[in-house]
Structures are given as C-alpha cells and as structure tokens.
Amino acid sequence: MPGRLKKVDEFFQRKAAEGGNVVAMARMGAAMRERGDLAEAEAWYRKAAMGGDRVSMTALAHLLADRGARDEAERWYHEAALAGEPHGMLNLARAYERQGKREEAQHWYGEAADAGDLPSMAALGHLLREQGKPDEAESWLRQAAEAGITGAMIDLGLLLRDHGQAAEAARWWRSAVQAGDYAATCPLGRQAERLGRPGDAEAWYRQGASGGHVEAIVRLGLLLHRRGDLEEAERWYLDAAEHGDPAAMTNLGVLARNRGDEGEASAWYRKAAEHGSVPALTNLGHLAEHREDLAQAEQWFRRAAETGDVQGMLSLARMLRARGAAHEAEQWLARAETMQEDREHQH
C-alpha cells in the first residue's frame, strides 16, 4: 500500500508540475535526483528555477557543476545568491575564491554568514585569517566552531596558536579529532614535535594516517624517515603517493637515491614534479649534475628557481657562476637572500 500511495502522490505531483506549479516542479526535481534520473531532475529544477524558486536555482547549479557545466552553474549560483539563498551565496563565493577573486568571495561569504549559514562563517573566518585579519576571523570562526564545524575548529586553533594560546588551540584541535576530522591530527602532531615530544607526535600522525588523512600519512612517513625506520616510512609514502601526494613522491625519490637507485629516484622526482613538487625539480637538477649533464641540470634548477624556490635559486647561481655567467648568478643570489629575509620576517 505505501508503494501505491507513493505512485499516486507522484502522479498528482507530476500533474501539478506540468500545470505550472513551481513548488511541484521543485519536488519533481528532488524526486528525480533521488531516483538517479539526473537529466529529468535537471529539467524540472530548470523550470522551477526559471519560475523563481531560489532553492531550485542552487539545486540546478549543483547538477550543472557535477556534469562539468561550470559557467552555467556559476550563473545560477549568482541568481540564487541575488535571490537571497544562502547555499547559492556560499557556492558562488567558493567559485570566486577558486578564481582568485577574493574580494567578491569575501562579500558573498559575508552575506551568507550574516544569513546564519555555518559553513559560510567557517569559510569567511578562514579567508580573513589568511588575509591577516585575526580579530575579524576569530569572531566568525568561534561561532562556526562552537556550532560543530570542524574546519572552523582547526582554523581557530591555528589562529590561537599564532597568538601564543597553545593550550586552547590544542583543545579545539582535539575536539575536531573527536568529531572525526583527522586533519586536526596534523597541527596536534606538529605542536608535539615543536615541544620535543616525538612519541606524542607519532601517536597523532598514526591516528590521522589510520583515518586515511594524506597529510598525516606523509608526516608520519617523515617522522619515521628521520629516525631511520626506512621500510615503514616507505610504506606510508607509497600509500600517500597512491593518493597523488607530491611530497610523498619526492620522498620516495630521496629514499631511492639514498640506496643508490638513481633510475627509480628520477622516476619518482619526475612524477612528483608533474604533481607540482618544486623540491623534486631541484632534486632532478642534482641527479643531472651528478651524471655530468650540466645543461639539463641548469634547466631543472632554473625551473625550480622561477617558482621562487630558494634552493633552486642557490643551485642555479652556483652553476651560472661556474660557467662564467657571474652577473646573472649574482641576481639569483640576491633574489634568494630577499626570499630568505621575507620568510624570517613572516616567522
């Protein structure tokens, strides 16, 4: 009987939707999406959105984004945002942030946060923290953290740590872990390492790694690598590399080179470089230099240097000076010195 009633309900709902009822259109969209008929769901959501239903505008945008129609999705998020739909505002802000349009992103995160959207409060706090506005950030992050948003707990902890409130920072990170967010094991592990408690750091990283958090896996690998547990370190690096982590790939290259397998080292460094690892570029330069292919070594060092990597700049300057290009060498040395000074001021 319940099945028959559901079919009757859907029949009348479809009739209402076909008759132009916007609420029925939106419900048909939701029913079709739940059934997995995404094409029909999109059609009904589009009709409801064009009829002015702001929630359907956001739902339509989600479906469009999922199938790769990002430009049209963004237009509907914008329509939903202008109509006052918080999730439309949030997703529009995320789109702007991906494009590097931070001012527009901040505006829409703010609008959604003012409307009470908790993920928007967390995102706004994160953006403000990154912009060096800790007082504004803390207010939004606390609201979101106290409501249970674990990303806000982590960001709030980072903000508190930077202001010397390490104990409260750790409390928020532990709350995030207890809520199931293993990303918080990384700042807890880093804090334990800074305090000279490697055992505690390892325990946190292992918890995060066991939960599948890639950064925790890499950090556990690094900790084991540094203390000489190379076989276990390699197993964790391989796990992270399978998830596409460039730091793990680079470290696998380091292990391979240390055991004398330069072919395997080069393969891992190249794969890491393809995934965006700058240290891998410098390491490829060192490999080329070791086999006396100085032209290729210089190319790798130059690629690393042009990303702003200090080690790449120093290695490039050394090679330039060796082949008599003293003026360019001095330019790269000056840039490296400036980069190092900037980092010291930041810390």
Side-chain angles (χ1 to χ4, degrees):
M1 192 69 173
R4 290 181 63 187
L5 285 173
K6 187 174 182 181
K7 287 182 180 179
V8 170
D9 182 60
E10 187 177 311
F11 172 80
F12 284 111
Q13 193 162 269
R14 184 178 288 275
K15 285 294 183 185
E18 289 170 350
N21 185 295
V22 173
V23 173
M25 292 175 190
R27 287 177 178 166
M28 282 300 297
M32 293 303 105
R33 182 180 59 189
E34 186 177 342
R35 185 181 293 176
D37 190 343
L38 301 184
E40 189 173 355
E42 183 179 323
W44 283 116
Y45 277 139
R46 189 180 297 279
K47 289 178 181 179
M50 293 178 74
D53 186 75
R54 63 183 193 174
V55 174
S56 293
M57 294 174 190
T58 300
L60 172 61
H62 287 332
L63 289 179
L64 290 165
D66 287 345
R67 69 173 175 83
R70 293 199 170 274
D71 289 343
E72 189 183 0
E74 191 174 320
R75 288 197 294 275
W76 279 111
Y77 283 138
H78 192 257
E79 289 296 321
L82 291 175
E85 208 285 299
H87 291 106
M89 297 175 189
L90 170 62
N91 284 281
L92 180 61
R94 285 172 173 164
Y96 280 137
E97 191 169 11
R98 283 194 299 271
Q99 296 164 19
K101 299 177 180 177
R102 291 198 155 201
E103 194 171 316
E104 292 93 331
Q106 184 176 329
H107 168 76
W108 285 112
Y109 282 140
E111 290 290 314
D114 286 337
D117 185 69
L118 291 169
S120 297
M121 293 179 191
L124 178 59
H126 178 81
L127 196 61
L128 290 166
R129 186 180 71 80
E130 286 191 333
Q131 290 175 347
K133 300 175 181 176
D135 293 338
E136 293 178 60
E138 183 173 351
S139 173
W140 289 114
L141 290 172
R142 278 195 183 278
Q143 287 185 68
E146 287 167 359
I149 304 295
T150 56
M153 296 176 190
I154 295 170
D155 270 325
L156 179 57
L158 294 172
L159 190 152
L160 292 165
R161 179 204 64 190
D162 292 344
H163 284 79
Q165 296 168 265
E168 188 182 356
R171 284 197 297 274
W172 280 112
W173 294 330
R174 285 194 295 270
S175 295
V177 174
Q178 288 165 5
D181 192 336
Y182 292 108
T185 61
C186 292
L188 282 162
R190 292 198 303 272
Q191 185 181 72
E193 286 194 85
R194 282 194 298 272
L195 294 172
R197 299 202 301 263
D200 290 345
E202 182 177 344
W204 285 118
Y205 295 148
R206 283 193 184 278
Q207 186 173 352
S210 298
H213 191 263
V214 175
E215 185 187 346
I217 293 171
V218 176
R219 290 191 176 278
L220 176 58
L222 281 167
L223 188 148
L224 294 165
H225 189 164
R226 284 195 295 267
R227 79 175 187 212
D229 293 341
L230 302 186
E231 287 188 14
E232 189 181 359
E234 186 167 11
R235 287 198 298 273
W236 286 111
Y237 287 151
L238 284 167
D239 190 353
E242 286 174 3
H243 287 85
D245 187 85
M249 296 173 192
T250 302
N251 292 332
L252 283 165
V254 171
L255 288 176
R257 189 179 185 194
N258 287 346
R259 62 175 173 256
D261 191 339
E262 294 203 353
E264 185 183 349
S266 179
W268 278 117
Y269 291 152
R270 285 179 182 275
K271 191 169 184 179
E274 288 168 8
H275 283 74
S277 170
V278 174
L281 297 173
T282 303
N283 290 350
L284 282 164
H286 289 310
L287 282 180
E289 190 176 16
H290 184 255
R291 62 176 183 268
E292 298 185 356
D293 188 345
L294 302 185
Q296 189 174 57
E298 184 176 324
Q299 288 177 7
W300 287 118
F301 290 143
R302 190 176 294 278
R303 280 182 60 183
E306 286 171 350
T307 69
D309 180 63
V310 171
Q311 289 304 313
M313 292 177 189
L314 294 173
S315 295
L316 176 60
R318 175 173 52 76
M319 293 206 74
L320 289 167
R321 183 179 282 167
R323 68 172 174 83
H327 179 66
E328 188 184 358
E330 291 304 317
Q331 288 178 323
W332 281 111
L333 285 171
R335 285 181 63 178
E337 186 176 348
T338 300
M339 290 286 293
Q340 286 174 322
E341 287 176 355
D342 289 346
R343 287 178 185 173
E344 285 171 9
H345 288 311
Q346 287 171 4
H347 289 89

PDB file of all heavy atoms in Angstrom, residues 255-277:
ATOM      1  N   LEU A 255      64.516   8.342  -0.903  1.00  0.00           N
ATOM      2  CA  LEU A 255      64.869   7.007  -0.401  1.00  0.00           C
ATOM      3  C   LEU A 255      65.558   6.178  -1.486  1.00  0.00           C
ATOM      4  O   LEU A 255      66.545   5.481  -1.220  1.00  0.00           O
ATOM      5  CB  LEU A 255      63.609   6.281   0.078  1.00  0.00           C
ATOM      6  CG  LEU A 255      62.973   6.779   1.384  1.00  0.00           C
ATOM      7  CD1 LEU A 255      61.683   6.015   1.661  1.00  0.00           C
ATOM      8  CD2 LEU A 255      63.929   6.632   2.564  1.00  0.00           C
ATOM      9  N   ALA A 256      65.017   6.268  -2.708  1.00  0.00           N
ATOM     10  CA  ALA A 256      65.608   5.500  -3.810  1.00  0.00           C
ATOM     11  C   ALA A 256      67.036   5.957  -4.094  1.00  0.00           C
ATOM     12  O   ALA A 256      67.939   5.135  -4.293  1.00  0.00           O
ATOM     13  CB  ALA A 256      64.752   5.645  -5.068  1.00  0.00           C
ATOM     14  N   ARG A 257      67.251   7.267  -4.091  1.00  0.00           N
ATOM     15  CA  ARG A 257      68.603   7.758  -4.371  1.00  0.00           C
ATOM     16  C   ARG A 257      69.565   7.356  -3.252  1.00  0.00           C
ATOM     17  O   ARG A 257      70.716   7.009  -3.503  1.00  0.00           O
ATOM     18  CB  ARG A 257      68.598   9.273  -4.547  1.00  0.00           C
ATOM     19  CG  ARG A 257      69.963   9.751  -5.069  1.00  0.00           C
ATOM     20  CD  ARG A 257      70.074  11.211  -5.293  1.00  0.00           C
ATOM     21  NE  ARG A 257      71.383  11.495  -5.893  1.00  0.00           N
ATOM     22  CZ  ARG A 257      71.913  12.690  -5.978  1.00  0.00           C
ATOM     23  NH1 ARG A 257      71.266  13.750  -5.518  1.00  0.00           N
ATOM     24  NH2 ARG A 257      73.096  12.866  -6.531  1.00  0.00           N
ATOM     25  N   ASN A 258      69.088   7.411  -2.010  1.00  0.00           N
ATOM     26  CA  ASN A 258      69.965   7.061  -0.885  1.00  0.00           C
ATOM     27  C   ASN A 258      70.404   5.602  -0.924  1.00  0.00           C
ATOM     28  O   ASN A 258      71.463   5.257  -0.391  1.00  0.00           O
ATOM     29  CB  ASN A 258      69.266   7.367   0.442  1.00  0.00           C
ATOM     30  CG  ASN A 258      69.183   8.863   0.706  1.00  0.00           C
ATOM     31  OD1 ASN A 258      69.854   9.672   0.055  1.00  0.00           O
ATOM     32  ND2 ASN A 258      68.334   9.252   1.653  1.00  0.00           N
ATOM     33  N   ARG A 259      69.584   4.761  -1.554  1.00  0.00           N
ATOM     34  CA  ARG A 259      70.015   3.355  -1.675  1.00  0.00           C
ATOM     35  C   ARG A 259      70.686   3.092  -3.029  1.00  0.00           C
ATOM     36  O   ARG A 259      70.913   1.938  -3.402  1.00  0.00           O
ATOM     37  CB  ARG A 259      68.843   2.397  -1.431  1.00  0.00           C
ATOM     38  CG  ARG A 259      67.686   2.481  -2.370  1.00  0.00           C
ATOM     39  CD  ARG A 259      66.661   1.376  -2.058  1.00  0.00           C
ATOM     40  NE  ARG A 259      65.450   1.549  -2.852  1.00  0.00           N
ATOM     41  CZ  ARG A 259      64.296   2.019  -2.384  1.00  0.00           C
ATOM     42  NH1 ARG A 259      64.184   2.349  -1.103  1.00  0.00           N
ATOM     43  NH2 ARG A 259      63.252   2.148  -3.168  1.00  0.00           N
ATOM     44  N   GLY A 260      70.978   4.168  -3.756  1.00  0.00           N
ATOM     45  CA  GLY A 260      71.778   4.060  -4.969  1.00  0.00           C
ATOM     46  C   GLY A 260      71.020   3.794  -6.246  1.00  0.00           C
ATOM     47  O   GLY A 260      71.634   3.561  -7.290  1.00  0.00           O
ATOM     48  N   ASP A 261      69.682   3.862  -6.214  1.00  0.00           N
ATOM     49  CA  ASP A 261      68.889   3.594  -7.420  1.00  0.00           C
ATOM     50  C   ASP A 261      68.468   4.923  -8.042  1.00  0.00           C
ATOM     51  O   ASP A 261      67.364   5.425  -7.796  1.00  0.00           O
ATOM     52  CB  ASP A 261      67.669   2.745  -7.062  1.00  0.00           C
ATOM     53  CG  ASP A 261      66.953   2.205  -8.294  1.00  0.00           C
ATOM     54  OD1 ASP A 261      67.125   2.786  -9.386  1.00  0.00           O
ATOM     55  OD2 ASP A 261      66.219   1.210  -8.163  1.00  0.00           O
ATOM     56  N   GLU A 262      69.359   5.500  -8.840  1.00  0.00           N
ATOM     57  CA  GLU A 262      69.078   6.818  -9.409  1.00  0.00           C
ATOM     58  C   GLU A 262      67.973   6.770 -10.467  1.00  0.00           C
ATOM     59  O   GLU A 262      67.279   7.761 -10.681  1.00  0.00           O
ATOM     60  CB  GLU A 262      70.351   7.432  -9.981  1.00  0.00           C
ATOM     61  CG  GLU A 262      71.385   7.748  -8.905  1.00  0.00           C
ATOM     62  CD  GLU A 262      72.384   8.811  -9.324  1.00  0.00           C
ATOM     63  OE1 GLU A 262      72.364   9.222 -10.504  1.00  0.00           O
ATOM     64  OE2 GLU A 262      73.179   9.235  -8.460  1.00  0.00           O
ATOM     65  N   GLY A 263      67.804   5.611 -11.132  1.00  0.00           N
ATOM     66  CA  GLY A 263      66.722   5.480 -12.109  1.00  0.00           C
ATOM     67  C   GLY A 263      65.362   5.594 -11.441  1.00  0.00           C
ATOM     68  O   GLY A 263      64.487   6.334 -11.906  1.00  0.00           O
ATOM     69  N   GLU A 264      65.194   4.867 -10.330  1.00  0.00           N
ATOM     70  CA  GLU A 264      63.921   4.942  -9.595  1.00  0.00           C
ATOM     71  C   GLU A 264      63.740   6.329  -8.989  1.00  0.00           C
ATOM     72  O   GLU A 264      62.633   6.886  -9.005  1.00  0.00           O
ATOM     73  CB  GLU A 264      63.864   3.877  -8.500  1.00  0.00           C
ATOM     74  CG  GLU A 264      62.512   3.843  -7.798  1.00  0.00           C
ATOM     75  CD  GLU A 264      62.430   2.849  -6.650  1.00  0.00           C
ATOM     76  OE1 GLU A 264      63.350   2.021  -6.509  1.00  0.00           O
ATOM     77  OE2 GLU A 264      61.449   2.934  -5.882  1.00  0.00           O
ATOM     78  N   ALA A 265      64.817   6.902  -8.486  1.00  0.00           N
ATOM     79  CA  ALA A 265      64.745   8.246  -7.905  1.00  0.00           C
ATOM     80  C   ALA A 265      64.254   9.248  -8.943  1.00  0.00           C
ATOM     81  O   ALA A 265      63.361  10.053  -8.684  1.00  0.00           O
ATOM     82  CB  ALA A 265      66.114   8.658  -7.363  1.00  0.00           C
ATOM     83  N   SER A 266      64.845   9.165 -10.153  1.00  0.00           N
ATOM     84  CA  SER A 266      64.447  10.084 -11.213  1.00  0.00           C
ATOM     85  C   SER A 266      62.978   9.916 -11.573  1.00  0.00           C
ATOM     86  O   SER A 266      62.260  10.904 -11.777  1.00  0.00           O
ATOM     87  CB  SER A 266      65.320   9.835 -12.453  1.00  0.00           C
ATOM     88  OG  SER A 266      64.939  10.708 -13.501  1.00  0.00           O
ATOM     89  N   ALA A 267      62.515   8.667 -11.618  1.00  0.00           N
ATOM     90  CA  ALA A 267      61.110   8.413 -11.965  1.00  0.00           C
ATOM     91  C   ALA A 267      60.177   9.042 -10.935  1.00  0.00           C
ATOM     92  O   ALA A 267      59.171   9.678 -11.289  1.00  0.00           O
ATOM     93  CB  ALA A 267      60.867   6.907 -12.066  1.00  0.00           C
ATOM     94  N   TRP A 268      60.505   8.877  -9.645  1.00  0.00           N
ATOM     95  CA  TRP A 268      59.659   9.464  -8.604  1.00  0.00           C
ATOM     96  C   TRP A 268      59.732  10.991  -8.637  1.00  0.00           C
ATOM     97  O   TRP A 268      58.708  11.667  -8.490  1.00  0.00           O
ATOM     98  CB  TRP A 268      60.074   8.942  -7.228  1.00  0.00           C
ATOM     99  CG  TRP A 268      59.505   7.604  -6.890  1.00  0.00           C
ATOM    100  CD1 TRP A 268      60.183   6.445  -6.656  1.00  0.00           C
ATOM    101  CD2 TRP A 268      58.112   7.275  -6.760  1.00  0.00           C
ATOM    102  NE1 TRP A 268      59.313   5.417  -6.391  1.00  0.00           N
ATOM    103  CE2 TRP A 268      58.029   5.896  -6.443  1.00  0.00           C
ATOM    104  CE3 TRP A 268      56.933   8.002  -6.883  1.00  0.00           C
ATOM    105  CZ2 TRP A 268      56.820   5.239  -6.243  1.00  0.00           C
ATOM    106  CZ3 TRP A 268      55.710   7.349  -6.691  1.00  0.00           C
ATOM    107  CH2 TRP A 268      55.661   5.993  -6.370  1.00  0.00           C
ATOM    108  N   TYR A 269      60.936  11.549  -8.833  1.00  0.00           N
ATOM    109  CA  TYR A 269      61.053  13.004  -8.884  1.00  0.00           C
ATOM    110  C   TYR A 269      60.245  13.578 -10.045  1.00  0.00           C
ATOM    111  O   TYR A 269      59.587  14.614  -9.909  1.00  0.00           O
ATOM    112  CB  TYR A 269      62.515  13.430  -9.028  1.00  0.00           C
ATOM    113  CG  TYR A 269      63.386  13.182  -7.812  1.00  0.00           C
ATOM    114  CD1 TYR A 269      64.761  12.957  -7.967  1.00  0.00           C
ATOM    115  CD2 TYR A 269      62.864  13.179  -6.516  1.00  0.00           C
ATOM    116  CE1 TYR A 269      65.577  12.733  -6.871  1.00  0.00           C
ATOM    117  CE2 TYR A 269      63.676  12.950  -5.422  1.00  0.00           C
ATOM    118  CZ  TYR A 269      65.036  12.728  -5.600  1.00  0.00           C
ATOM    119  OH  TYR A 269      65.850  12.507  -4.521  1.00  0.00           O
ATOM    120  N   ARG A 270      60.303  12.904 -11.195  1.00  0.00           N
ATOM    121  CA  ARG A 270      59.552  13.400 -12.355  1.00  0.00           C
ATOM    122  C   ARG A 270      58.049  13.351 -12.087  1.00  0.00           C
ATOM    123  O   ARG A 270      57.312  14.281 -12.434  1.00  0.00           O
ATOM    124  CB  ARG A 270      59.900  12.583 -13.609  1.00  0.00           C
ATOM    125  CG  ARG A 270      61.272  12.919 -14.190  1.00  0.00           C
ATOM    126  CD  ARG A 270      61.592  12.068 -15.415  1.00  0.00           C
ATOM    127  NE  ARG A 270      62.913  12.368 -15.913  1.00  0.00           N
ATOM    128  CZ  ARG A 270      63.203  13.357 -16.758  1.00  0.00           C
ATOM    129  NH1 ARG A 270      62.225  14.153 -17.193  1.00  0.00           N
ATOM    130  NH2 ARG A 270      64.440  13.569 -17.166  1.00  0.00           N
ATOM    131  N   LYS A 271      57.609  12.260 -11.474  1.00  0.00           N
ATOM    132  CA  LYS A 271      56.183  12.151 -11.160  1.00  0.00           C
ATOM    133  C   LYS A 271      55.777  13.225 -10.149  1.00  0.00           C
ATOM    134  O   LYS A 271      54.712  13.850 -10.278  1.00  0.00           O
ATOM    135  CB  LYS A 271      55.883  10.758 -10.606  1.00  0.00           C
ATOM    136  CG  LYS A 271      54.394  10.440 -10.500  1.00  0.00           C
ATOM    137  CD  LYS A 271      54.171   8.969 -10.211  1.00  0.00           C
ATOM    138  CE  LYS A 271      52.676   8.646 -10.201  1.00  0.00           C
ATOM    139  NZ  LYS A 271      52.414   7.220  -9.950  1.00  0.00           N
ATOM    140  N   ALA A 272      56.631  13.461  -9.172  1.00  0.00           N
ATOM    141  CA  ALA A 272      56.348  14.497  -8.168  1.00  0.00           C
ATOM    142  C   ALA A 272      56.306  15.869  -8.821  1.00  0.00           C
ATOM    143  O   ALA A 272      55.441  16.697  -8.509  1.00  0.00           O
ATOM    144  CB  ALA A 272      57.411  14.454  -7.069  1.00  0.00           C
ATOM    145  N   ALA A 273      57.255  16.124  -9.737  1.00  0.00           N
ATOM    146  CA  ALA A 273      57.285  17.416 -10.430  1.00  0.00           C
ATOM    147  C   ALA A 273      56.014  17.617 -11.240  1.00  0.00           C
ATOM    148  O   ALA A 273      55.459  18.725 -11.277  1.00  0.00           O
ATOM    149  CB  ALA A 273      58.511  17.496 -11.331  1.00  0.00           C
ATOM    150  N   GLU A 274      55.531  16.557 -11.874  1.00  0.00           N
ATOM    151  CA  GLU A 274      54.276  16.638 -12.634  1.00  0.00           C
ATOM    152  C   GLU A 274      53.102  16.995 -11.730  1.00  0.00           C
ATOM    153  O   GLU A 274      52.127  17.606 -12.175  1.00  0.00           O
ATOM    154  CB  GLU A 274      53.994  15.309 -13.335  1.00  0.00           C
ATOM    155  CG  GLU A 274      54.910  15.023 -14.513  1.00  0.00           C
ATOM    156  CD  GLU A 274      54.803  13.573 -15.000  1.00  0.00           C
ATOM    157  OE1 GLU A 274      53.899  12.852 -14.499  1.00  0.00           O
ATOM    158  OE2 GLU A 274      55.616  13.181 -15.859  1.00  0.00           O
ATOM    159  N   HIS A 275      53.188  16.615 -10.452  1.00  0.00           N
ATOM    160  CA  HIS A 275      52.127  16.915  -9.485  1.00  0.00           C
ATOM    161  C   HIS A 275      52.397  18.216  -8.721  1.00  0.00           C
ATOM    162  O   HIS A 275      51.717  18.514  -7.743  1.00  0.00           O
ATOM    163  CB  HIS A 275      51.953  15.760  -8.504  1.00  0.00           C
ATOM    164  CG  HIS A 275      51.217  14.589  -9.077  1.00  0.00           C
ATOM    165  ND1 HIS A 275      51.791  13.727  -9.984  1.00  0.00           N
ATOM    166  CD2 HIS A 275      49.934  14.150  -8.887  1.00  0.00           C
ATOM    167  CE1 HIS A 275      50.900  12.797 -10.319  1.00  0.00           C
ATOM    168  NE2 HIS A 275      49.779  13.030  -9.675  1.00  0.00           N
ATOM    169  N   GLY A 276      53.421  18.977  -9.146  1.00  0.00           N
ATOM    170  CA  GLY A 276      53.635  20.298  -8.565  1.00  0.00           C
ATOM    171  C   GLY A 276      54.698  20.415  -7.505  1.00  0.00           C
ATOM    172  O   GLY A 276      54.795  21.449  -6.837  1.00  0.00           O
ATOM    173  N   SER A 277      55.515  19.385  -7.298  1.00  0.00           N
ATOM    174  CA  SER A 277      56.563  19.458  -6.269  1.00  0.00           C
ATOM    175  C   SER A 277      57.758  20.252  -6.777  1.00  0.00           C
ATOM    176  O   SER A 277      58.433  19.841  -7.734  1.00  0.00           O
ATOM    177  CB  SER A 277      57.015  18.052  -5.868  1.00  0.00           C
ATOM    178  OG  SER A 277      58.174  18.123  -5.059  1.00  0.00           O
TER     179      SER A 277
END
